[in-house]
Structures are given as structure tokens and as C-alpha cells.
Amino acid sequence: MNTNIKILLVDDFKLMLTVSSTILNSLGFEQIQLAHNGREAWECLQREPFDLLMTDWDMPEMNGGDLIHEVRKHPELKDLPILVITGDSHYSQTALERGANAVLLKPFKESVLRERLAELGF
């Protein structure tokens, strides 16, 4: 179904990475690269192409806002769809203002993730 879609999933909380990647797998997404903070994600994005960036907001080393800023100013990545996943609703508007395409609040259900991904064209 979604076997050709390559997703970069970023979160500093290992359990969240596990839960999110498991849900993505159940939705048919098989190519999921994991990163543990924004800096690691930025390095991945510079090495290889991705179809979707799913990132936490509050992380050490480089937070989601700074990661989005770097992505949006890079000519080859500026149109990359970005879904911010955050446990704090206060970050939602800021994430969209920084350039995120959509926001998903933690904890989330598979059905809500499916809706957000459909809104982004996946």
C-alpha cells in the first residue's frame, strides 16, 4: 500500500518512536527511519531523501522548531511535508507558523494519525 513512502520519524522518547513506528507499520508504511533528536534528523535529511518528516517538538540538541526552520530554508527540502507530533497543544500554532504542514497531539489513536496522513496526501 504505502511501501514506497519513506518517512523520517523523530522523537527523543524511545517508547514514542516504537509506538509511532508500530502504528505506521500497521497502516502499511514500511520505510521508516528513526532519529532521536533534531540534529540527528537534520543529518539524515542531508544524506538521503524522505517523503515525510514526522517530528516531536520538544527535544534536546535541536528541537522541532529549529529542525523545521532548517528544512524550510534548504532549497531541496523546502517542500517536504512535515507533521509535528507534540504532547503540548501550546506548540500547535507555533509549529504551523514555523512551517509544519500539520500537527498531531500525543497521545493519539491510529485513526487520527491516518486522518492527518490522508490530509497530507499519504
Side-chain angles (χ1 to χ4, degrees):
M1 176 179 161
N2 301 305
T3 57
N4 294 326
I5 305 297
K6 196 168 178 186
I7 298 173
L8 179 57
L9 179 60
V10 190
D11 201 305
D12 60 318
F13 189 43
K14 285 185 179 186
L15 179 60
M16 197 65 212
L17 284 174
T18 301
V19 169
S20 298
S21 60
T22 300
I23 292 172
L24 287 166
N25 286 150
S26 72
L27 292 173
F29 296 95
E30 297 176 356
Q31 296 187 58
I32 304 164
Q33 173 78 36
L34 305 179
H36 298 94
N37 59 57
R39 186 168 319 286
E40 189 178 316
W42 179 239
E43 291 169 3
C44 290
L45 288 165
Q46 292 178 71
R47 279 194 311 267
E48 57 187 297
F50 290 90
D51 300 300
L52 174 64
L53 171 61
M54 294 177 59
T55 183
D56 184 24
W57 185 265
D58 190 20
M59 299 178 290
E61 296 192 45
M62 179 188 278
N63 67 32
D66 292 340
L67 176 59
I68 292 169
H69 178 75
E70 290 300 318
V71 168
R72 291 297 181 233
K73 73 180 190 180
H74 193 281
E76 293 175 14
L77 299 172
K78 66 180 179 60
D79 296 322
L80 177 67
I82 300 173
L83 172 60
V84 170
I85 303 173
T86 181
D88 190 337
S89 62
H90 293 98
Y91 293 131
S92 297
Q93 187 60 39
T94 304
L96 294 171
E97 288 169 0
R98 291 297 285 275
N101 299 89
V103 177
L104 181 64
L105 293 177
K106 299 179 204 176
F108 59 87
K109 295 181 180 180
E110 180 178 321
S111 60
V112 179
L113 176 57
R114 185 183 311 117
E115 288 173 15
R116 289 296 176 283
L117 293 171
E119 290 168 6
L120 293 172
F122 297 102

